[in-house]
Amino acid sequence: MCGICGFWDTGFGSTAQHLQAMNQTLLHRGPDGGGQQLFTLAQGQLGLGHRRLSIIELSALGHQPMAFEHYWVSFNGELYNHAELRQELEGLGHRFKSHSDTEVLLQAYARWGIGALERFTGMFAFALYDAQQQSLLLARDRAGVKPLFYYAHEGLLLFGSELKALLAHPQFKKHIHSGALEAYLQLGYVPAPYTIWQHAHKLPAGHYLQLQLPKTEGQPQPYWDISTAYNRPVLKLSYAEALEQTEARLQKAFNYRMVADVPVGIFLSGGYDSSTVAALLQKQSGRPLKTFTIGVPDLGLNEAPQAEAIARHLNTDHLTAYCTEAEALNLIRQLPYYYDEPFGDSSALPTMLVSRMARQQVTVALSADGGDELFAGYNRYRYVLRLGRSLQQTPQGLRRLLAALLRSRALRHLPLLSSHPHYHHRLHKLQQLVEDPSARAFMWRLCSQYSDAELQKLLQQPAGLPPTLFNSHRLNNAHDTLGYMLSLDYKTYLCDDILQKVDRATMHVSLEGREPFLDHHLAEWVACLPQSFKYHKGQSKRLLKDINQRYLPPALMNQPKKGFAVPLARWLQNELKNELCQALGAQLPPQLNAAGVAAELNAFFKGHNERAHRIWYLFMFSKWHETWA
């Protein structure tokens, strides 16, 4: 796990000092060493930078940028199947100097070219220069566990693991992408391929960008897409067969993520996903595995007792850290630096806190993200499968009448109900869903914050939402409604929110985060299982829960899930009120409309707590703007 950066400059305006400055911004990602290589070519300058966090091959033989023949690479991530690939390559006559997976990557590319990507099992983002072919390859893993950003403008290509590395180059031009800002205000994150900056992009998950120099711009190409698996025929097997085979595939995927030359631990909450990871790994371990939980009792946010009970049952070496509300609040000021584009997921706070605790004990920590997207764990799936299906079967004329009723003044001011803090927000959402009950519209309405009219009032110059997978028809061929929703979440919310959150939270303390549920072989298998094996008669995660209960008693697991829901409304109306009013008043970014923001704030302070996430998104954008723009 590391940080990478670099440039291709056809204008010869870049220097070794510029590369060093870019590399230095990634010090937190790789404190164990740094390297850089500058090539002066006839048509431009190529720079490769690297910051190292030593996980596999701790010696100097793992130093990067690494060369093999006429290939050079700067690589961030892990190839979990590097031992198998090494054995195959050795059978073909290859010889190795180290047991580094980076060397395996280089020789695999030398043997198979771009086809090597399909052989890799792992998480990765890398830049590979072929001096003989004069080409540059940027590639990202299938799920998007590892980030990769690039900027292409006026003959200059910059790339890096974080946007801050690109901004360190003096030729980066800071122009905010208006459409990306609108998408952020709706979703709380900027969806790929966009970033908050014009001319800067996220390389989409499962894509590569190959440039024949001197070109600096090109079209990313896909090499893997989860939707392909959802469009395959449904597997014909019994539930009992699926149970056995799924557990075996989980075990294999989880075991892969334990390969390291440094200590490895597991983030353990009270939920099914992380406890399944811990249970399957502990049963094969000869010693207690290290597990970690965090709690903030004075916020009433405390999964620690349940996690501790799970750890005792599994006999793990468990550590609980209790933090105070003050510690969580103080961390808010650091969010804009580490999440260096606007990011509105407040669960970044507990993720950073638990990462700091884990880093004191281990260098690698396994998370359990992806379980909801594979096994149908989110409530929105139930809403669509129940309410959406019912509305789709309702005659259109009757739906129009119902929508008119939901818009009526009488219903908006209904006694008792209208005083509920979330009543108006949910009423408006329901009206929109009645008007268009398609799965695509449902998913957008349930994931977004504003109507088009509301959003326009917040912006000085509304540009309109850019094309995203939410308004695309490309996913509509999934063989069932649940498959469509799962593939959409896998490619949007999981990749652009959750995995970005975990990457920055872990790497800010030089901790490698691994995602065992995101093995692509496992994802392809689960995608082809019958819908009823994942969601059945209102029960989510059916298959995963049944596997879990082979190792943990149902009475222990069937507890109300507490989660770590940050009390945004209370914080913003009390502890953070002065800072919030300053950020959305005197320090309001010029892209926002003062009158629209003031109206939103006024409604919030009058008790419309359902707007807390909206206000948080605005607050985080203002704090990011103050830090970076």
Side-chain angles (χ1 to χ4, degrees):
M1 183 67 62
C2 309
I4 68 171
C5 64
F7 54 72
W8 166 241
D9 185 357
T10 61
F12 293 90
S14 300
T15 66
Q17 288 71 34
H18 295 152
L19 183 58
Q20 185 177 17
M22 295 174 70
N23 213 19
Q24 192 64 18
T25 66
L26 303 175
L27 178 62
H28 55 283
R29 298 186 72 93
D32 296 336
Q36 57 191 64
Q37 194 74 28
L38 185 64
F39 306 86
T40 300
L41 311 178
Q43 297 169 307
Q45 299 162 297
L46 177 70
L48 295 176
H50 189 266
R51 291 299 321 180
R52 186 182 183 196
L53 177 62
S54 301
I55 303 295
I56 294 174
E57 180 56 270
L58 307 185
S59 76
L61 292 174
H63 181 79
Q64 295 188 52
M66 184 181 290
F68 171 71
E69 295 179 348
H70 53 272
Y71 303 100
W72 286 82
V73 74
S74 186
F75 166 54
N76 169 30
E78 307 289 351
L79 297 186
Y80 300 123
N81 66 334
H82 69 94
E84 295 97 311
L85 290 172
R86 178 191 303 270
Q87 186 175 14
E88 183 177 1
L89 288 165
E90 286 175 337
L92 295 169
H94 289 249
R95 296 295 177 262
F96 293 86
K97 298 177 181 178
S98 70
H99 71 276
S100 164
D101 56 343
T102 308
E103 189 179 4
V104 172
L105 184 155
L106 272 171
Q107 296 206 36
Y109 185 82
R111 168 63 62 171
W112 297 303
I114 203 68
L117 290 172
E118 297 182 2
R119 295 172 177 261
F120 296 157
T121 296
M123 55 178 188
F124 52 82
F126 64 83
L128 191 150
Y129 169 53
D130 182 341
Q132 187 176 84
Q133 297 297 322
Q134 293 287 284
S135 66
L136 179 66
L137 172 68
L138 304 179
R140 191 177 179 199
D141 67 71
R142 294 171 178 84
V145 179
K146 291 294 98 190
L148 187 53
F149 300 88
Y150 67 98
Y151 170 91
H153 187 53
E154 297 180 338
L156 175 67
L157 173 73
L158 306 171
F159 55 87
S161 297
E162 298 182 15
L163 277 172
K164 59 175 63 69
L166 281 56
L167 269 67
H169 195 286
Q171 294 182 46
F172 186 100
K173 295 185 177 178
K174 294 184 178 182
H175 300 301
I176 287 178
H177 189 303
S178 299
L181 172 58
E182 292 193 30
Y184 160 75
L185 291 174
Q186 286 284 29
L187 299 168
Y189 59 87
V190 178
Y194 309 103
T195 74
I196 194 62
W197 302 110
Q198 291 182 26
H199 310 299
H201 315 272
K202 298 180 179 79
L203 184 65
H207 281 65
Y208 66 88
L209 175 63
Q210 193 161 35
L211 298 173
Q212 190 64 47
L213 306 182
K215 289 184 178 179
T216 58
E217 298 188 46
Q219 185 64 36
Q221 299 298 315
Y223 67 92
W224 188 85
D225 190 330
I226 189 65
S227 302
T228 303
Y230 280 105
N231 287 320
R232 291 173 186 156
V234 178
L235 292 170
K236 295 181 180 179
L237 74 173
S238 69
Y239 184 74
E241 291 171 326
L243 201 63
E244 296 303 322
Q245 293 189 46
T246 301
E247 180 173 341
R249 291 167 186 268
L250 286 168
Q251 187 76 63
K252 182 177 181 180
F254 295 177
N255 288 346
Y256 260 143
R257 274 70 187 172
M258 293 297 289
V259 176
D261 294 335
V262 292
V264 180
I266 303 169
F267 291 149
L268 180 64
S269 70
Y272 280 95
D273 299 343
S274 64
S275 61
T276 301
V277 173
L280 292 183
L281 288 174
Q282 186 60 71
K283 79 168 186 175
Q284 290 196 343
S285 176
R287 55 183 175 77
L289 299 175
K290 291 185 178 294
T291 54
F292 305 95
T293 303
I294 196 162
V296 188
D298 56 358
L299 288 181
L301 306 174
N302 194 7
E303 285 187 323
Q306 187 173 351
E308 289 167 354
I310 291 169
R312 283 194 299 271
H313 186 87
L314 296 176
N315 193 33
T316 69
D317 179 7
H318 190 70
L319 179 64
T320 299
Y322 289 99
C323 299
T324 66
E325 182 176 15
E327 289 177 90
L329 282 165
N330 287 335
L331 197 55
I332 291 173
R333 283 84 184 178
Q334 299 177 41
L335 290 177
Y337 177 77
Y338 289 109
Y339 293 85
D340 47 14
E341 72 175 345
F343 191 72
D345 189 338
S346 59
S347 66
L349 293 168
T351 311
M352 292 179 79
L353 288 169
V354 74
S355 296
R356 291 182 175 188
M357 172 188 65
R359 187 62 178 93
Q360 298 173 18
Q361 302 284 326
V362 298
T363 313
V364 176
L366 275 59
S367 186
D369 301 303
D372 288 312
E373 289 79 4
L374 289 184
F375 293 97
Y378 294 130
N379 288 333
R380 53 179 169 265
Y381 305 145
R382 184 171 70 251
Y383 299 153
V384 175
L385 293 173
R386 287 184 172 181
L387 179 59
R389 189 168 293 165
S390 298
L391 288 172
Q392 288 168 16
Q393 295 170 354
T394 303
Q396 189 173 4
L398 187 55
R399 282 197 287 108
R400 280 199 293 264
L401 285 174
L402 181 56
L405 174 63
L406 292 169
R407 286 194 298 268
S408 68
R409 181 178 177 84
L411 206 57
R412 289 202 306 272
H413 297 281
L414 205 62
L416 299 179
L417 287 178
S418 60
S419 62
H420 189 278
H422 300 297
Y423 176 75
H424 293 89
H425 180 67
R426 291 174 179 173
L427 188 69
H428 181 62
K429 289 278 188 186
L430 182 58
Q431 171 222 313
Q432 294 176 315
L433 296 174
V434 168
E435 291 173 345
D436 184 352
S438 67
R440 190 177 66 203
F442 252 71
M443 287 293 283
W444 174 248
R445 295 304 179 195
L446 292 172
C447 294
S448 60
Q449 288 293 330
Y450 296 95
S451 68
D452 293 342
E454 289 174 326
L455 188 60
Q456 289 184 5
K457 293 178 182 177
L458 288 177
L459 298 163
Q460 288 285 15
Q461 296 181 318
L465 286 167
T468 68
L469 289 174
F470 284 100
N471 51 29
S472 166
H473 292 273
R474 282 184 286 159
L475 293 179
N476 282 7
N477 295 324
H479 51 62
D480 57 43
T481 300
L482 182 62
Y484 164 75
M485 294 187 290
L486 292 172
S487 60
L488 180 62
D489 268 336
Y490 195 96
K491 296 174 70 171
T492 56
Y493 177 63
L494 174 67
C495 180
D496 296 328
D497 184 310
I498 294 176
L499 296 182
Q500 297 291 312
K501 173 189 71 179
V502 175
D503 176 79
R504 302 309 186 282
T506 52
M507 292 309 295
H508 95 285
V509 287
S510 310
L511 176 72
E512 172 169 306
R514 295 183 177 179
E515 305 288 356
F517 277 108
L518 298 185
D519 185 281
H520 71 279
H521 300 294
L522 174 65
E524 291 171 346
W525 164 260
V526 176
C528 293
L529 292 175
Q531 173 181 312
S532 62
F533 291 5
K534 291 167 268 191
Y535 179 87
H536 182 62
K537 296 182 179 180
Q539 179 190 4
S540 62
K541 296 187 179 178
R542 178 190 179 193
L543 200 60
L544 186 67
K545 289 178 179 178
D546 285 348
I547 292 170
N548 178 281
Q549 291 180 0
R550 291 177 168 182
Y551 303 97
L552 289 159
L556 180 60
M557 295 306 302
N558 294 335
Q559 302 288 328
K561 185 167 175 59
K562 298 180 177 64
F564 199 122
V566 173
L568 291 182
R570 176 167 68 78
W571 278 0
L572 293 169
Q573 290 172 347
N574 296 280
E575 290 86 351
L576 295 173
K577 184 175 182 179
N578 290 339
E579 193 171 343
L580 172 66
C581 291
Q582 180 76 7
L584 299 184
Q587 295 175 352
L588 187 71
Q591 292 79 15
L592 298 180
N593 179 279
V597 171
E600 189 76 17
L601 267 180
N602 187 49
F604 175 63
F605 286 133
K606 284 185 175 180
H608 285 275
N609 288 357
E610 77 279 3
R611 302 191 183 206
H613 281 92
R614 296 183 179 191
I615 299 297
W616 180 259
Y617 291 179
L618 291 167
F619 182 48
M620 286 294 99
F621 173 64
S622 180
K623 300 304 288 183
W624 169 85
H625 191 276
E626 179 186 351
T627 304
W628 293 105

